[in-house]
Every structure is written in C-alpha cells, then in structure tokens.
Amino acid sequence: MKVGLFVTCLVDLVRPNIGFAALKLLEDAGCTVVVPDSQTCCGQPGYNSGARDIAKVLARKVLAEFRDCDYVVAPSGSCSGQMKVHAVEDLFKGEPEEAEFRSLAAKWFELSDFLVNVLKISAVPNAPAAIGALTYHDSCSGLRELGIKSQPRMLLSAAGATIHEMTDCEKCCGFGGTFSIKLGDISTRMAENKCVNIAASGARVLVGGDLGCLLNIEGRLRRNGDMQTKVYHFAEVMAGMTEA
Amino acid sequence: MQVKSMHFKATSSAKLNDAVLQTALKRAKGKFVDGRAAAVAEIDAWEDIRTHAAALRDRVIANLDAYLIEFEQNAVARGAVVHWAETAEQANAIIVKIAQDNAVKIATKSKSMVSEEIALNDAMEAVGIEVVETDLGEYILQLAHEPPSHIVAPAVHKSKEEVADLFVAAHGRPRLTDIPAMTREAREVLRSKFLGADMGISGANFVIAETGTTLTVTNEGNADLVTTVPRIHCVVTGIEKVIPTLEDFATLIRLLPRSATGQSAANYLTLTTGVKAPDELDGPEQMHVVLIDAGRTKLVGSDMKEMLRCIRCGACMNHCPVYQNVGGHAYGWVYPGPMGSVLTPTYVGIENAGDLPNAATFCGECEVVCPVKIPLPDLMRKWRERQFDQALRPFGERFSISVWNAFATRPALYAASTRIAARVASWWGGKERRITWLPGLDGWTDGRDMPAPAGKTFRELYSARQKLAARHKP
C-alpha cells in the first residue's frame, strides 16, 4: 500500500519531528510511505483570506503530487479538511476537475482517522509503554469537517493514556490561521480560555492533532510563564517521539 | 441604527477588558449553549427537521415574489393593508404617515430587529410620537439609550445593578435588586402604556402566505397586548420572513425556541390575522403590514442566498467563540455574531464592515448549530473573496498572501527560503526556544510566544535520511 505523506507547511518549517513521527506510525503499520519533495502548502491560508484562485493553483499542485498514491495521509485535520471538503464542495465543484479532486478526497485521511478507520488498527504497534495522564484538544476542522473525535482518544487510551477531558475541549483555541494575527487580541483571549481549561483538567500534558492550534496554545502557556505543561502532537505521543 | 462596524477591531479589544460585560457573557454562554443542547436532545429527528426546514426556506426564497403576493392577497382579504418598502427611509415614511394620519400620540412596540435596522424609533420620535418598547430587554435599553447587543436577549450585556440604576432614574421608585420585583415594577409602569397606546408596532417572526397571518414569538406576552389593544396595529418585517403555510410554521417552531433559548416551546405565540371583525370584542380597527426589502433582494439568487433562510434564533452568536468573548456591541450594527458578519456587509456596505467577515476562526460551530443549515463560514469566506478581489483589505495582508503564493508554487524557492527561515527563527528563539517578538507578527506576539522552530525543515532532514538509507542499501 503506497501512502503519500502530506507533511504540512507548519510541520515542515516548525516541528519536523511530527512529520517523522507520522512517518514512523505509518511504516510501523506496514505502509510504504512516499513523501513528494515538491510539496509545500494545501492552499488554505489563501483560501481563507479570500484568494480563491491561489487556493486552486495550490490544490492542483497537491493533486499532481499525490495522484499516484493509494492513500494520502496528513498529520492535520485542517489541511485534510481543505482537500477532503473544501476542494470538492467548493473550489472545484461543478468544474471539469471535480471528479479528480473527488478521487483525491476519497483517499485522503487525517492521520488518526487513517490508522483507525482505514488500517483498522485498534492499538498502535510499538506504542510507548506508559503515556500517562493527558488532556486532548479537539481541533475545529478535524472535529467538525471530518469527525475526528474518538480516533485519537481510542489509540491513546489503548496505549495506556489516561485522558482527563477538559471543559470545552471542542471549543476553538483561537488559532484560525491568519485570524491569530489579524485579530490577535481576541485570538489571545481564546487561547487563554483554553489554557485555563487545560490547567483545570489536572493533566500536565496537552495533546492535539493540529500543529497550528498547538503552537497557539503553547505560545500562550509560555507567555503566562507556564513552562511545565507539555504540548505534543498526537503523532509524537503515539510514536514515542516526545523527547526530540 | 448607526453603523459602527468599521471600528470592530478597536471596540472588540476594549470589550475584552470590560469586566461587567465579561461576567454577563459567561453567564449567557452557560444558559444558551447548555440550554440549547438539552432542548435539541429532546427530539430524535432533529437533523431531519433541520434538513426539511432548510429546504422549505430555500423554496420560499426561490419563489419569494409568489408567496409575498399570496400573503398580500390573503391579508387584504382580512382587512389588512399591505405596504411595500424598498428602503429603510420608505418604510419609516410609511409608518410615520400611518401614525400621523391617525393622530397617534403613543405607540407601543414589541421586539423587532427590522425596526432597529431602519431606526424606526428615531423616525417616530422626530415627529413627536412617543414610542415605548415593551419587551423587557428592549425597554431597559430604551432607558439606557443603547442599541441591543443580542437579537434574542437584547440586554444580555447589562448587569442587574445597572438595570436597577436605570429603573430608579426612570421610575423614581426605591431601588430594587430582586429580579422578580424589578420585573413587577416594569410591568406596572408598562401597563398604562399598553392601555393608553393608539398604535401597536410589532415585528414578525414569520408571515404566513396561505392565511395572511403575521406571527410573533415572545416569552413575555407583550406582543399580545401590542397587537390587540391599540386601535392600529402595524407590523414591520423583512420580506424574507414569509412561509407558505401554518403547517410549515409547525415545523419551524420546533426549531426556533430550542435553538434560541433552549426552550421546548416559547411562552407566547401571537398570531394576528386582519382587523377586528364586527362581532369580535378585541383587535385593531386597522392593520398595516410593512414588508421591507432594505437589501434583501440583493441576496436573492446570489451566491449568498442561503443567508435568507435565517429565522433569527441567535444560536450562531451564542455558540461563536468570538461573540462569546467580545459580545454583540463590538459588531457595530443590528446583527452580531456570524449572521451579522454576513448580513451587515450586505445591508450597510462592505466598506463599512470590512473586519466582520474576518472576525471568525472558521471553527464551524455556527454552521453546526444553525437550525436552517446556513453555511455561515462559507458565506463569510465569500465576503473575504470579494474583499481580496476588490483590494479592500490592508495592503500588508494582500501582499503577504501573494508572497506566500509566489513561494508555495515554486518548490525550489520554497525549500531554499524555508531552510533559511527555519534557521533564523530557531536562532531568534534563543535558549528558551521561544520567540517573544516577531516583526510584522505582533498580532500574535503581543499576547503569545511563538515556539521556536527546530532549525532544519522536514524536507532537509528527510532528504538526508533518504540519502543515508540509499548508501546503506546492499
């Protein structure tokens, strides 16, 4: 099974460890993983800034890069939503390319969703021995566009994690891509609300499936002087790669 | 209502630090969000009803002219007069003329957001007619000379103490802070207005084509008194409020109070059809229905037509994380939250409301809770597209997106520049591995650190790994 890894621009630039963790999870599960070298961005920043044509150009580029794969996996619900939902339901809807994007969408999966619902894994091979207590932030696109909710929790629990659900775990952290810069004060307040809920959960480890949200929340934790609460991507935890 | 939406960014930042407002917003969030969830859970077929209601509203909007004419015919047959107003000014002129022709001195009013759109109270007061808001929240705001901050709970931003002070100033009675006692005081004061009014002005949640009925949903029963006691009843409503049949109303009323206030049923459904018949004891001698366009037909047949499905429940704002933190006044016009971020640019011009479509993370909660499935994030994004196409956003923003595109579509350039960026930003992060200030990104770094990048891109590291693996291959 040839699986294309869509690394995502944020993981590539900021925390490559997440990409390698995703790679390990897929390879350990028996996938042959390819990582097209020319990949850059799914186009969502342009799309959500109103630059529709730019988003289409980048979507076509992604399509060309992953056309030959049996599956495409991304360690992000947000980029996955862009390709699985917005590319077909909006950008190319009713256009000649729609069918091609539909077939790409059908084989594109967010990482935890792929492990659980395509590979039918109920416990990740080579999962670390003891993950311990954590709290999980549901990122909006993954949750509401793709239904990512039980998948990461199931795999984390199977690996021995104790999940302390925080209040409003499904509430937006305030990232929202360019929103976090355009309306920084509101974005910061939303991140602050998230930090309060994380602290109240009792867990000292936050896990999530989208690096954008994690950077936003971690950035607020650190600004508040909280250097203790660990912030990890789901892939890093499952692959036992939290110490990179 | 005066448009202040152009100040969204500054106003919203100030609202984040308004302690009274923040307390009120937290209280409201608990009530509206949890209440809705519980009420929705009562109905197994919730999703089916939503789907049906969305299709019903779409059918109405696609045939708006036919349903409105059917409504007019049936309303006229029951003795009502139907007026058509293309603009806010026309609507106000019609209503003022009705009042003046009938020597109206006092008009009571039940809650109407359309009347806020057209600033009806100002127009009436300008010719010396006293207008009395009778919805408790609206009454409080009339005393405070403030616009509503929420379409269902207009005074949700006010504390009990602020209301107590307003009542003392207006009523001249001892200061009360017990809510039931305060409510009783308002009822006593309003009673004489209800009985003394020459004209009652109501909005309409729906108008029903097959019967010529206008329909108002309230919890206080004030619409009953507004629509039946005065000799003249005047309904002001947007043209999109029409629905074909009473049966359709039965569908929509399953959605509306549950979505709005978490109630299985609202306390009062006030249906008004025509004037008092010769053998009837109660009811107005004249009934006027003013059907208002004020920008709505611009949406018909457009790529934002779904917005006209809206039944004004307020669930989108109640669940919006931006609204929950800044409240309704920050949005600067009648409709706050996601619905306002679509409607305000339509009705008052995108040049006056440019930040509103951008005041969303696209978290999608509004779309999930909308009882008529309006794709609110998609509609806000359409405004952003128009802003981008017409160069209506700040230069820096458009420039950044274009630069991003130029790099992202050129893989070699992208690889080289991210290689440098990762190193510079990593160095910038210092020993503590966090960036506390980034030029041009102070919107982020004013309130948050940026965790420092690792230093090398995934692309570089992966390419090195592949080379190493190739060398070790037998």
Side-chain angles (χ1 to χ4, degrees):
Chain A
M1 183 191 291
K2 183 175 160 187
V3 176
L5 178 64
F6 185 79
V7 178
T8 81
C9 57
L10 275 182
V11 167
D12 177 49
L13 181 68
V14 182
R15 219 194 283 186
N17 190 51
I18 296 168
F20 286 105
L23 191 60
K24 179 174 187 297
L25 290 172
L26 293 170
E27 287 181 341
D28 285 358
C31 302
T32 305
V33 183
V34 295
V35 188
D37 185 54
S38 61
Q39 62 176 292
T40 56
C41 166
C42 66
Q44 190 181 160
Y47 180 60
N48 284 343
S49 298
R52 192 181 174 84
D53 293 339
I54 290 175
K56 289 175 87 162
V57 169
L58 286 168
R60 286 190 191 103
K61 179 172 165 298
V62 173
L63 175 66
E65 286 157 349
F66 290 92
R67 187 178 272 134
D68 298 336
C69 298
D70 299 318
Y71 290 98
V72 187
V73 174
S76 160
S78 178
C79 313
S80 298
Q82 179 69 13
M83 301 312 298
K84 270 185 95 69
V85 180
H86 298 290
V88 288
E89 298 302 333
D90 181 22
L91 286 173
F92 296 97
K93 194 173 178 81
E95 295 190 12
E97 294 155 281
E98 182 182 339
E100 272 196 296
F101 278 98
R102 286 222 174 262
S103 65
L104 179 68
K107 64 185 185 184
W108 188 299
F109 291 87
E110 183 272 346
L111 178 64
S112 70
D113 194 27
F114 182 74
L115 295 173
V116 171
N117 289 322
V118 178
L119 297 182
K120 309 287 181 197
I121 285 174
S122 52
V124 165
N126 312 322
I131 292 175
L134 59 88
T135 191
Y136 198 91
H137 166 65
D138 293 289
S139 292
C140 298
S141 302
L143 175 70
R144 297 191 188 87
E145 291 174 5
L146 307 175
I148 312 294
K149 177 74 185 180
S150 63
Q151 301 91 322
R153 285 175 173 76
M154 187 187 110
L155 294 177
L156 287 162
S157 300
T162 317
I163 301 175
H164 296 255
E165 296 289 1
M166 67 174 120
T167 303
D168 284 346
C169 61
E170 296 185 356
K171 200 77 199 170
C172 179
C173 72
F175 175 61
T178 55
F179 173 87
S180 63
I181 297 158
K182 287 191 285 194
L183 291 159
D185 290 350
I186 304 172
S187 176
T188 297
R189 176 61 58 84
M190 288 161 68
E192 171 64 18
N193 297 342
K194 189 57 72 174
C195 292
V196 168
N197 289 328
I198 290 167
S201 76
R204 305 308 301 271
V205 176
L206 171 74
V207 179
D210 271 84
L211 181 55
C213 314
L214 297 179
L215 291 174
N216 183 42
I217 299 167
E218 184 176 344
R220 183 61 189 175
L221 286 169
R222 303 300 176 248
R223 179 60 59 91
N224 284 342
D226 178 346
M227 305 295 165
Q228 272 70 52
T229 304
K230 307 279 189 207
V231 179
Y232 297 124
H233 190 280
F234 161 81
E236 294 176 300
V237 176
M238 292 313 304
M241 290 170 61
T242 53
E243 297 307 317
Chain B
M1 184 170 155
Q2 196 190 345
V3 182
K4 295 181 178 167
S5 305
M6 60 293 275
H7 307 305
F8 176 83
K9 193 170 175 175
T11 314
S12 62
S13 294
K15 297 290 180 190
L16 291 170
N17 297 313
D18 179 336
V20 173
L21 174 69
Q22 291 298 322
T23 307
L25 288 171
K26 283 198 180 66
R27 191 176 52 227
K29 173 175 176 266
K31 185 172 174 287
F32 284 129
V33 173
D34 301 342
R36 176 196 168 275
V40 166
E42 297 170 350
I43 298 192
D44 292 339
W46 182 257
E47 289 306 315
D48 295 338
I49 301 172
R50 281 179 80 212
T51 304
H52 177 80
L56 158 68
R57 293 292 295 147
D58 279 349
R59 194 172 80 241
V60 170
I61 301 309
N63 302 287
L64 197 54
D65 49 350
Y67 286 118
L68 285 169
I69 289 167
E70 185 187 348
F71 166 78
E72 181 182 35
Q73 286 167 346
N74 290 320
V76 168
R78 294 293 299 264
V81 183
V82 176
H83 309 261
W84 302 78
E86 196 174 335
T87 64
E89 294 72 27
Q90 285 175 14
N92 285 335
I94 290 165
I95 300 160
V96 165
K97 183 165 188 309
I98 295 167
Q100 288 181 323
D101 287 351
N102 290 284
V104 168
K105 292 187 187 66
I106 301 178
T108 46
K109 217 172 139 238
S110 67
K111 211 166 84 56
S112 153
M113 297 314 291
V114 176
S115 75
E116 299 286 344
E117 271 184 53
I118 65 175
L120 175 61
N121 292 10
D122 293 345
M124 298 283 276
E125 284 159 7
V127 296
I129 299 163
E130 183 187 354
V131 182
V132 183
E133 294 286 353
T134 64
D135 171 271
L136 182 58
E138 293 284 354
Y139 176 67
I140 290 166
L141 296 182
Q142 193 176 28
L143 297 181
H145 304 288
E146 281 180 34
S149 73
H150 189 287
I151 64 166
V152 173
V156 68
H157 60 284
K158 283 253 171 277
S159 70
K160 183 173 72 170
E161 288 69 27
E162 288 173 318
V163 176
D165 293 341
L166 289 167
F167 278 11
V168 170
H171 303 161
R173 299 190 188 185
R175 190 173 191 273
L176 301 172
T177 49
D178 172 53
I179 290 176
M182 293 164 75
T183 308
R184 203 174 307 119
E185 179 177 312
R187 285 180 62 154
E188 285 166 14
V189 172
L190 285 171
R191 188 61 48 164
S192 67
K193 303 290 183 188
F194 278 125
L195 298 176
D198 315 292
M199 180 173 181
I201 301 171
S202 71
N205 290 88
F206 302 105
V207 307
I208 297 166
E210 69 169 349
T211 55
T213 300
T214 72
L215 201 153
T216 310
V217 181
T218 75
N219 276 319
E220 298 166 20
N222 57 315
D224 279 10
L225 293 169
V226 166
T227 57
T228 51
V229 178
R231 57 194 162 89
I232 302 161
H233 174 205
C234 182
V235 184
V236 284
T237 192
I239 50 173
E240 85 285 13
K241 291 293 183 69
V242 69
I243 55 173
T245 66
L246 277 169
E247 188 72 31
D248 295 325
F249 168 65
T251 300
L252 293 165
I253 200 62
R254 300 187 79 191
L255 300 173
L256 179 58
R258 286 187 171 85
S259 300
T261 50
Q263 292 170 287
S264 307
N267 290 350
Y268 294 87
L269 305 178
T270 306
L271 288 81
T272 49
T273 312
V275 296
K276 180 167 71 173
D279 57 339
E280 286 174 343
L281 292 174
D282 298 307
E285 293 158 17
Q286 294 178 36
M287 180 180 183
H288 298 269
V289 183
V290 184
L291 297 171
I292 299 172
D293 179 350
R296 285 157 176 78
T297 45
K298 277 192 274 185
L299 291 169
V300 175
S302 79
D303 59 354
M304 296 191 195
K305 60 181 182 297
E306 293 96 335
M307 196 60 229
L308 290 173
R309 289 179 196 161
C310 181
I311 58 171
R312 303 293 192 266
C313 70
C316 60
M317 63 197 72
N318 293 338
H319 290 77
C320 173
V322 174
Y323 171 88
Q324 285 172 350
N325 283 293
V326 305
H329 281 162
Y331 291 81
W333 200 56
V334 182
Y335 301 111
M339 61 171 296
S341 296
V342 178
L343 282 179
T344 306
T346 311
Y347 292 172
V348 309
I350 187 68
E351 65 283 3
N352 294 316
D355 277 334
L356 297 191
N358 295 282
T361 61
F362 287 163
C363 75
E365 276 205 64
C366 51
E367 183 173 358
V368 170
V369 297
C370 176
V372 286
K373 293 185 157 184
I374 300 171
L376 288 153
D378 290 345
L379 301 186
M380 284 186 263
R381 192 184 298 104
K382 285 185 198 301
W383 269 123
R384 296 186 191 185
E385 287 170 4
R386 289 184 200 180
Q387 288 179 307
F388 189 84
D389 291 345
Q390 298 167 22
L392 290 172
R393 290 300 295 170
F395 172 76
E397 211 176 292
R398 286 178 289 127
F399 181 70
S400 315
I401 289 297
S402 302
V403 169
W404 176 253
N405 175 52
F407 281 76
T409 48
R410 293 172 176 81
L413 177 66
Y414 186 90
S417 53
T418 49
R419 192 183 157 99
I420 297 166
R423 277 167 179 74
V424 171
S426 179
W427 168 79
W428 192 269
K431 261 197 213 127
E432 290 201 345
R433 310 306 304 141
R434 58 198 181 104
I435 296 165
T436 53
W437 176 71
L438 262 179
L441 295 181
D442 38 356
W444 179 295
T445 52
D446 278 355
R448 288 153 292 186
D449 293 340
M450 175 65 81
K456 288 185 178 174
T457 63
F458 178 89
R459 191 186 318 274
E460 290 176 67
L461 296 165
Y462 181 75
S463 154
R465 191 186 100 145
Q466 293 303 90
K467 277 179 196 148
L468 196 66
R471 218 180 300 153
H472 285 98
K473 251 189 197 153

